[in-house]
Amino acid sequence: MALSRRRFLAASAVGGAAAVVGVPEAAADEVRVVGAGDSEYLPLTLRGYNRRFAARPEQIYVPTSAEQVRVAVGRAASRLAVRSGGHCFEDFVDSAHTRSIIDLGQMNQVRWDEAHRAFSVDAGAELGAVYEALNRRWGVTIPAGICLGVGMGGHVSGGGYGPLSRRLGLVADYLYGVEVVTVDAQGTAEVVVATKDGPDADLWWAHTGGGGGNFGVATRFLLRAPQSDGADPATALPKPPGTMLHSRVVLPMMSEAAFVRLLGNYLAFFERHSTPGNRFAGLYAPLSFRTVGTGFAQLLVLLDADSGDARSQFDEFLGAVLDGVDAVPVVQPVAQLSYADTVAQVYYPKGPLPPRVKVKAAYLRRAYSEDQLRVFYRYLTDLAVLGETEVEFLPFGGAVNAVEPDATAIPARNSFAQMLVHTAWRLPEGDEQHLRWARALFGEVYAATGGVPVPNADNGGSYVNYPDPDLADPRWNTSGVPWHRFYYGANYPKLLRIKQNWDPRGVFQHALSIGRPDW
């Protein structure tokens, strides 16, 4: 059933952004609160992915409904943060300044919403559980990420992509509506359901790539394919592939020439096959390079096997990537599994012990030059940085590029790949060394554009779900281009207006909030 707007007065916050004013005590008691002395407190504070950051909030709210989130927003002090799956790479939640956390982990339901004729998926649901529920109960899926422990809250709000995106598009392309707890200019918190075709469509649009934690607390998403009227749940979202091929290719340490050839072949292949509906739209093959170990290069190949020539596609792709590479690959036998078994056995499970992390990322509109590829090789073979560091290249494009850049808040609709520097280590003593390595690598790759991937004919900016506050720091971004251009492009002015309309008091803030200063 659609929710009407509900207003209340909440207790004013101390310092920082203005918060909401007084809520009746009886209502406040409805939401569970965990404090520093409770047994759940430490596990809840350690749910984040990046051990570089830790929050010690005064209280953690654990709601089970949008109404309880509304109450929690009212009771929380300023410097409020919201956690869904906990996979944010930066300190947007786990900051030393965070005073209250609203943890959505208990809000994890997947159901059919008859009123909106769409799937209702709670923001705290993890991707693995969403895939399982959608496929098992209705035989449908969404083109979301390969990491099963990621929460829907940040993933969808940032656009969301994964192994099926080259054929089906972004998760944001299937967002019909969003339920959000917002705070207005009078300090009144309310639950709003904004749909694509409703009166609050601007708030819906902002959640199609505007990033989590900007406009309010997203509590659930309404998902439906753009071409569907929602009359039948079995056709309201895409069918997954019946079966998928998969294999892994591992290459040992190689010469610079072999590295340049391998990565050059890989990027050239996906640059050639980046248009919507291309023959290889069902292929997803992330290529990663580790800084240590015998498996220097690892290629995971996932391929929709419903087409009649899936095996020949696999052979053609592998032949193109390995052509002229003077290194002996170890190729895992090609296996064919159902979609459900592929997700369960091949997609990435949730890791038990998060590392300390720094990420830097960029979209590619054209393949890197040989000089840029040599920069990657030099840094990846630098034995001063070991740990769990890797550089990963991720196929993009295909159906993603069939949508206009302003149709959703995410503007990256003409790139063919993403590059992700995932610097990871375990001990605080390694912080300076690893941060310096990541920044130096990135800065040298993009030396021609001020150390950052300035959007142009070659670069497509960056992905907001791989946030990097360095883009807002003139020490690392010397291009003169403001940080928001990398994430939002020409969509930023509209997002800023929506932010000012729906969060006029600036309650929802983090290191890369919409509306923060350019520098």
Side-chain angles (χ1 to χ4, degrees), residues 363-420:
Y363 290 115
L364 281 72
R365 289 176 175 165
R366 289 180 183 162
Y368 289 119
S369 68
E370 287 194 8
D371 286 344
Q372 288 174 304
L373 297 181
R374 291 188 185 98
V375 171
F376 282 112
Y377 182 80
R378 178 156 44 84
Y379 278 84
L380 284 163
T381 55
D382 179 1
L383 296 182
V385 175
L386 301 177
E388 302 163 56
T389 293
E390 65 182 348
V391 176
E392 190 168 16
F393 297 87
L394 306 150
F396 209 63
V400 175
N401 292 351
V403 177
E404 291 299 316
D406 60 353
T408 59
I410 183 169
R413 301 294 186 165
N414 57 1
S415 299
F416 73 89
Q418 290 200 63
M419 185 277 295
L420 174 65

Side-chain angles (χ1 to χ4, degrees), residues 33-62:
V33 183
V34 175
D38 297 323
S39 60
E40 293 175 86
Y41 180 84
L42 189 59
L44 286 171
T45 60
L46 294 177
R47 279 191 65 215
Y49 178 79
N50 192 346
R51 285 293 181 265
R52 279 178 60 213
F53 306 114
R56 292 295 179 264
E58 296 170 7
Q59 56 274 315
I60 302 173
Y61 298 91
V62 188

Side-chain angles (χ1 to χ4, degrees), residues 167-231:
R167 172 152 288 174
L168 299 177
L170 301 176
V171 182
D173 299 335
Y174 296 84
L175 184 64
Y176 170 71
V178 59
E179 180 181 81
V180 194
V181 175
T182 62
V183 179
D184 68 15
Q186 288 70 47
T188 302
E190 55 187 358
V191 180
V192 181
V193 176
T195 60
K196 184 177 184 178
D197 52 7
D200 298 321
D202 62 336
L203 187 60
W204 158 80
W205 184 87
H207 285 83
T208 62
N214 271 314
F215 309 96
V217 183
T219 53
R220 67 183 176 115
F221 301 98
L222 298 169
L223 302 174
R224 192 172 83 195
Q227 68 275 16
S228 172
D229 62 3

Side-chain angles (χ1 to χ4, degrees), residues 13-24:
V14 180
V20 259
V21 233
V23 64

Side-chain angles (χ1 to χ4, degrees), residues 93-165:
V93 177
D94 295 311
S95 167
H97 302 294
T98 298
R99 296 183 58 187
S100 301
I101 292 177
I102 297 178
D103 189 293
L104 302 178
Q106 297 301 307
M107 296 179 63
N108 53 20
Q109 298 301 302
V110 179
R111 63 181 179 84
W112 176 252
D113 186 314
E114 288 285 356
H116 290 101
R117 303 188 313 282
F119 289 98
S120 172
V121 181
D122 286 354
E126 295 183 350
L127 297 187
V130 175
Y131 292 141
E132 195 277 334
L134 290 175
N135 187 39
R136 176 176 53 82
R137 296 166 64 185
W138 296 283
V140 298
T141 194
I142 52 174
I146 198 170
C147 297
L148 299 179
V150 168
M152 288 287 286
H155 188 66
V156 178
S157 299
Y161 80 98
L164 300 183
S165 288

